[in-house]
Amino acid sequence: MDKIVIIGGNRLEGEVVVSGSKNAALPVMTATLLSSGKFVIENVPELRDVKTMANLLKIIGADVKFSEQRMDIDTSNCNKFEAPYDLVRTMRASIYVLGPLVSRFGYAKVSLPGGCAWGPRPVNLHLEGLKKLGADITLDQGYIIAKAKRLKGSLIKFDVSSVGATGNIMMAAVLAQGTTVIENAAKEPEIKALAEFLVKMGAKIDGAGTERLEIEGVDKLHPVKEIMIPDRINAGTFIAAVSVTGGRITIKKSNPDHLTFVLSKFQEAGVKFKFYNSDIIVDAPDKLKPINVTTAPYPGFPTDMQAQWTALMSITPGISIVKDTIYLDRFSHIPELRRLGADIQVENNSAIIKGMRELKGAAVMSTDLRASASLIIAGLAAKGRTDVLRVYHIDRGYEKIEEKLKKLGAQIWRERI
Ligand code: EPZ
């Protein structure tokens, strides 16, 4: 087990390259199951979750090669349409194989995802959507069994905006007979990227990136080459990092258009930005202003930036309120931030933060991916040494984060324990 050690107080200066998007790469990898042949995907981030998904594709029978952000996937010999519990329990996104498998092969046996650091995280919308498309869904000993001769297009209205359910149902619908309409579809850039990947494969999808998708089923799709979009949460996390330390960094290979609302919140807090194509130049202010945030589906403030914003507000003198409307209990980072001296009360799905000038380093425990990011951000600002334990969580979603921060001037290193 590794830990990351930080001696806080250094300003950040220099350039950092944002990796490809984890939450685009994962569904795109499963979309390759919808056709037989050789795919090439570039700008794939080297993350634990991506390697887990590659292992799942190999269990299904695909041949996967991955190095230097390039992934070659050959789906010519897929022959086992299952996602086993011991893999699914380590990564909920495994459920993305359900739609492609039942749509292309007529059968899928996928473990129900277990819990996670916060929860519950239900999959009812995925299953109800597949049933509407004509799949026979049964649950047996913790597994979802989905069967269908050929799925049939239907009208599907999600009562909540769900990234995963939109992705799964869209992938199921592209080979269904007839037309599927998805209303209240997720508009996240990662779902738009998935839709564009499917269209490149020969799918017929209108409305990518909007809340209404119209999908006309086709008989066959073909392999393609694609480049992953940049990871917007990665970019937002580095902006939070320089905002707490002070300094000026250039975030390269990002897409500011995917972060409009987040950038506006940082600007309200006093952070200055300049934009050159895919570069974001971030100038941190000497004094931050306390700013309230409420998470919402895209294009609102993403729940995946909630913990990082909470860390930022912890060292911003004044009162601020961070409310999560997506996951009502995504606050496992707060007891750990309190160990650094943060003054935060949680009431229902809101964190009331009494920001202070200085936190003090301590040993803290990662509980999930974005909580880990918030602890690293707080450690960069805290006086003295912070040891962030169980960093396997952070490796799920950030490529070599300590190396990137070290290059920007942070006093940070990884230790094996
Ligand atoms: C995706 O998870 C992301 N994961 C999450 O990022 C992100 O936090 C989440 O979307 C919200 O933006 C990936 O893309 C791999 P949802 P997902 O379905 O698809 C409810 C990270 O840090 N819901 O959009 O699982 C659910 O409870 C991860 O990278 C149902 O009620 O999230 C939640 O309140 C963490 N029934 C809301 O919808 C369902 O069947 C949004 O969840 C599905 C979801």
Side-chain angles (χ1 to χ4, degrees):
M1 198 109 77
D2 290 358
K3 67 178 177 179
I4 285 184
V5 182
I6 305 158
I7 308 295
N10 288 22
R11 288 168 67 84
L12 299 185
E13 311 274 348
E15 290 187 351
V16 61
V17 177
V18 165
S19 64
S21 165
K22 166 176 86 78
N23 292 351
L26 294 175
V28 159
M29 285 169 72
T30 63
T32 64
L33 297 169
L34 287 161
S35 159
S36 172
K38 293 190 170 126
F39 292 77
V40 178
I41 311 172
E42 307 273 7
N43 198 32
V44 178
E46 304 210 8
L47 302 170
R48 271 169 61 100
D49 276 6
V50 169
K51 289 170 189 150
T52 301
M53 187 62 89
N55 290 337
L56 177 52
L57 294 182
K58 287 176 190 166
I59 289 171
I60 293 168
D63 180 62
V64 184
K65 289 187 182 55
F66 182 34
S67 78
E68 302 291 311
Q69 281 89 28
R70 169 182 161 132
M71 186 172 280
D72 290 78
I73 302 175
D74 184 344
T75 55
S76 311
N77 301 311
C78 292
N79 56 6
K80 190 168 185 317
F81 313 128
E82 300 196 9
Y85 174 62
D86 61 357
L87 188 140
V88 174
R89 70 184 171 79
T90 67
M91 183 183 66
R92 300 178 42 77
S94 309
I95 192 146
Y96 269 133
V97 300
L98 186 60
L101 287 178
V102 70
S103 185
R104 168 122 185 271
F105 300 105
Y107 176 81
K109 181 179 177 185
V110 176
S111 168
L112 273 167
C116 75
W118 74 89
R121 291 181 67 185
V123 291
N124 59 306
L125 297 176
H126 299 244
L127 304 184
E128 285 153 22
L130 287 173
K131 281 181 192 161
K132 295 262 337 225
L133 294 175
D136 170 50
I137 302 280
T138 51
L139 298 183
D140 180 30
Q141 294 174 358
Y143 279 81
I144 302 159
I145 315 285
K147 292 178 189 159
K149 277 210 179 22
R150 183 171 183 190
L151 295 174
K152 288 191 178 36
S154 175
L155 166 62
I156 290 160
K157 293 184 182 180
F158 288 132
D159 51 13
V160 291
S161 167
S162 162
V163 170
T166 303
N168 232 333
I169 298 308
M170 183 163 61
M171 288 191 279
V174 292
L175 288 178
Q177 194 170 20
T179 301
T180 296
V181 171
I182 301 176
E183 291 187 351
N184 197 21
K187 297 182 278 190
E188 272 69 4
E190 296 77 24
I191 292 299
K192 183 176 182 195
L194 173 62
E196 288 166 349
F197 182 78
L198 291 165
V199 167
K200 215 171 181 177
M201 287 176 65
K204 291 184 179 154
I205 302 174
D206 278 334
T210 75
E211 72 272 2
R212 187 180 187 279
L213 296 172
E214 190 159 327
I215 301 150
E216 192 189 324
V218 295
D219 294 333
K220 206 165 158 36
L221 297 169
H222 56 78
V224 294
K225 290 181 190 299
E226 183 61 293
I227 302 173
M228 287 298 97
I229 59 170
D231 193 306
R232 60 193 168 104
I233 305 300
N234 250 227
T237 302
F238 283 110
I239 296 171
V242 68
S243 300
V244 302
T245 63
R248 175 191 171 111
I249 65 170
T250 300
I251 296 175
K252 300 192 74 67
K253 288 178 71 178
S254 61
N255 183 338
D257 296 343
H258 292 163
L259 277 168
T260 316
F261 198 85
V262 172
L263 295 172
S264 71
K265 282 306 210 184
F266 276 108
Q267 281 169 324
E268 276 183 58
V271 180
K272 301 259 181 297
F273 296 103
K274 285 198 188 78
F275 305 98
Y276 294 104
N277 303 326
S278 66
D279 293 357
I280 305 175
I281 296 176
V282 191
D283 263 314
D286 294 335
K287 196 172 171 328
L288 289 159
K289 294 184 208 105
I291 299 294
N292 297 342
V293 147
T294 299
T295 68
Y298 192 83
F301 193 94
T303 175
D304 291 349
M305 277 295 299
Q306 181 259 100
Q308 298 91 314
W309 190 265
T310 303
L312 176 68
M313 289 295 112
S314 301
I315 56 107
T316 301
I319 303 287
S320 54
I321 297 173
V322 176
K323 185 174 184 180
D324 202 325
T325 65
I326 309 287
Y327 296 113
L328 310 184
D329 54 358
R330 191 176 188 171
F331 296 110
S332 59
H333 45 289
I334 296 208
E336 300 303 317
L337 288 171
R338 286 198 191 112
R339 287 179 52 76
L340 300 172
D343 182 348
I344 309 175
Q345 298 309 319
V346 175
E347 276 172 31
N348 302 321
N349 60 326
S350 294
I352 295 99
I353 305 157
K354 190 160 172 275
M356 56 187 62
R357 236 165 263 305
E358 192 173 76
L359 299 177
K360 283 202 175 37
V364 288
M365 184 86 74
S366 297
T367 51
D368 63 85
L369 168 54
R370 306 303 171 184
S372 313
S374 83
L375 296 175
I376 287 177
I377 288 165
L380 290 170
K383 190 170 169 32
R385 173 171 165 149
T386 297
D387 289 30
V388 182
L389 309 175
R390 294 192 182 170
V391 285
Y392 57 86
H393 289 293
I394 196 117
D395 294 333
R396 295 188 55 173
Y398 292 89
E399 252 182 7
K400 308 184 184 80
I401 192 163
E402 77 277 7
E403 289 174 24
K404 292 188 174 182
L405 287 168
K406 190 171 180 176
K407 226 175 115 221
L408 291 172
Q411 229 185 311
I412 183 171
W413 65 91
R414 183 181 287 252
E415 278 184 13
R416 190 156 295 272
I417 44 177

